[in-house]
Amino acid sequence: MFGKILLTIAVIAFIWFGFKYLSRLAELRRRDEAEKAPPPHSPPKDAAGEAETMVECRVCGTWQPGRSARSCGRSDCPY
Ligand SMILES: [Zn+2]
């Protein structure tokens, strides 16, 4: 009876320490990947390219991205 309880405690302790070891490994791996990844605050290249192609409407004076410029609704708008 006592031996069974001791064995159960040993098994639980073994599983507990095994789980702790695995979670520590996962944490170290996650930290490694975070260091390799580029910083999130750096602007993407697409946004910078789009900002350069902004065009101003001569009639209404609004700024729009050159690739997707739309008419503002006025009859003499060039877009
Ligand atoms: Zn316009």
Side-chain angles (χ1 to χ4, degrees):
M1 185 63 190
F2 185 72
K4 259 190 179 178
I5 289 165
L6 211 69
L7 189 75
T8 306
I9 290 166
V11 167
I12 287 166
F14 182 77
I15 290 165
W16 175 251
F17 282 115
F19 180 75
K20 263 190 156 182
Y21 178 71
L22 283 176
S23 59
R24 197 175 169 186
L25 274 181
E27 174 72 28
L28 284 171
R29 205 174 300 162
R30 211 181 306 151
R31 216 174 290 168
D32 261 17
E33 279 171 17
E35 276 173 20
K36 280 174 195 170
H41 54 77
S42 65
K45 283 176 184 176
D46 292 351
E50 227 166 77
E52 284 170 13
T53 58
M54 289 289 276
V55 288
E56 186 185 14
C57 176
R58 280 170 287 159
V59 179
C60 51
T62 54
W63 286 88
Q64 295 189 70
R67 277 180 234 161
S68 58
R70 282 185 205 169
S71 172
C72 52
R74 297 195 191 186
S75 56
D76 51 351
C77 182
Y79 301 109

